[in-house]
C-alpha cells in the first residue's frame, strides 16, 4: 500500500509521515530530501544551479537512496545531516524547479515507492508521482502557524528569513500544490501531530484489503 501525503512547507508533512510510517511499520520516503541531496551533490561537483539539463544528468547518474533507518545517501555518501543546512535551504527551490530534475526524481521516487508498503510525502505525490496511491492526503495550515513551525524546526534561521523562504516556496510550488481530486484534505492548524496521524490511520484501515 502507498500512502501519499502532500502539502506546503510547514503543514506538518514530514513529522506526520514519519510518525505514521513508524506506527504502521511502513517505509518512510521523504521526497524533499532527494532534491536536497541532489543540491548538495551539485554544490560539491560545482554544477551551476541554473543548468537544468546538467542537473538532470547528475541526478540520473547518482540515484538517491535510503537505508532501513531512513538515512539519505547520494554518490555513496550519507548526506542526512548535510542536506538540512541553511545553504541547502536556499538553493533547493532553484534546483527543484527544473523540469529535467523533476523528471528524473519522479522516476526514482516511483521506484522507491513501489518497493513494498510506504508513506511517501512531498509535493505532487498524489497527482503525479503516485496517482494510484490507495490513500491520498493533503495537509494544509494557516500561514502563521506554518511559519512558527518552521522557526521551531530551524531556530538557527531568523524569523524574517523563514517567512521569506515560505513565501518563495509557495510561489515556486503553486503549480505543484494542487491536491489530487480524491485526496483527503486535513487542516492541521489546530491539531496535534497524533490527532492528524490518528485520522490518517483510520483512513488507511478503511482502505486496507479485507
Amino acid at each position: 500500500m502507498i500512502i501519499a501525503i502532500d502539502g506546503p512547507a510547514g503543514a506538518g508533512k514530514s513529522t506526520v509521515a514519519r510518525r505514521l510510517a513508524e506506527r504502521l511499520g511502513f517505509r518512510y520516503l521523504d521526497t524533499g530530501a532527494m532534491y536536497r541531496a541532489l543540491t548538495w551533490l551539485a554544490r560539491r561537483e560545482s554544477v551551476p544551479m541554473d543548468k537544468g539539463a546538467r542537473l538532470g544528468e547528475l541526478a540520473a547518474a547518482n540515484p538517491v537512496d535510503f537505508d532501513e533507518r531512513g538515512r539519505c545517501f547520494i554518490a555513496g555518501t550519507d548526506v542526512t545531516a548535510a542536506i538540512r543546512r541553511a545553504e541547502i535551504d536556499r538553493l533547493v527551490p532553484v534546483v527543484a524547479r527544473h523540469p529535467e530534475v523533476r523528471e528524473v526524481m519522479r522516476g526514482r521516487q516511483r521506484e522507491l515507492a513501489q518497493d513494498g508498503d510506504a508513506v511517501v510525502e512531498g509535493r505532487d505525490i498524489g497527482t503525479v508521482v503516485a496517482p494510484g496511491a490507495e490513500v491520498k492526503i493533503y495537509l494544509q495550515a494557516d500561514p502563521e502557524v506554518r511559519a512558527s513551525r518552521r522557526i521551531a524546526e530551524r531556530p538557527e534561521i531568523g524569523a524574517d528569513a523563514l517567512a521569506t523562504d515560505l513565501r518563495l516556496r509557495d510561489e515556486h510550488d503553486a503549480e505543484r500544490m494542487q491536491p489530487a481530486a480524491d485526496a483527503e484534505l486535513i487542516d492541521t492548524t489546530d491539531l496535534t501531530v497524533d490527532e492528524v496521524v490518528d485520522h490518517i490511520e483510520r483512513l488507511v484501515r478503511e482502505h486496507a484489503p479485507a
Side-chain angles (χ1 to χ4, degrees), residues 78-132:
D78 180 353
V79 295
T80 308
I83 61 176
R84 300 300 171 183
R85 294 173 182 161
E87 59 267 27
I88 302 299
D89 284 346
R90 292 191 296 267
L91 293 171
V92 69
V94 180
V95 172
R97 73 186 180 197
H98 294 296
E100 300 93 338
V101 170
R102 293 203 301 273
E103 181 179 1
V104 174
M105 286 300 187
R106 286 166 174 167
R108 181 59 176 155
Q109 288 159 13
R110 292 187 186 101
E111 291 177 0
L112 294 171
Q114 291 169 359
D115 187 21
D117 295 329
V119 178
V120 187
E121 64 99 345
R123 292 167 175 78
D124 62 25
I125 305 302
T127 55
V128 179
V129 175

Side-chain angles (χ1 to χ4, degrees), residues 147-208:
S148 67
R149 289 172 179 168
R150 294 289 287 174
I151 291 170
E153 293 172 354
R154 307 301 299 275
E156 73 277 11
I157 304 176
D160 290 343
L162 276 172
T164 300
D165 175 66
L166 277 179
R167 178 179 58 79
L168 292 175
R169 287 189 181 209
D170 286 350
E171 292 174 357
H172 289 149
D173 295 336
E175 184 179 344
R176 303 166 61 202
M177 283 288 89
Q178 300 302 316
D182 54 346
E184 175 90 0
L185 272 61
I186 302 176
D187 190 320
T188 67
T189 301
D190 298 315
L191 298 177
T192 66
V193 172
D194 282 333
E195 287 173 333
V196 177
V197 173
D198 288 345
H199 186 159
I200 300 174
E201 185 179 11
R202 286 194 293 272
L203 294 174
V204 172
R205 302 301 182 195
E206 292 172 3
H207 286 81

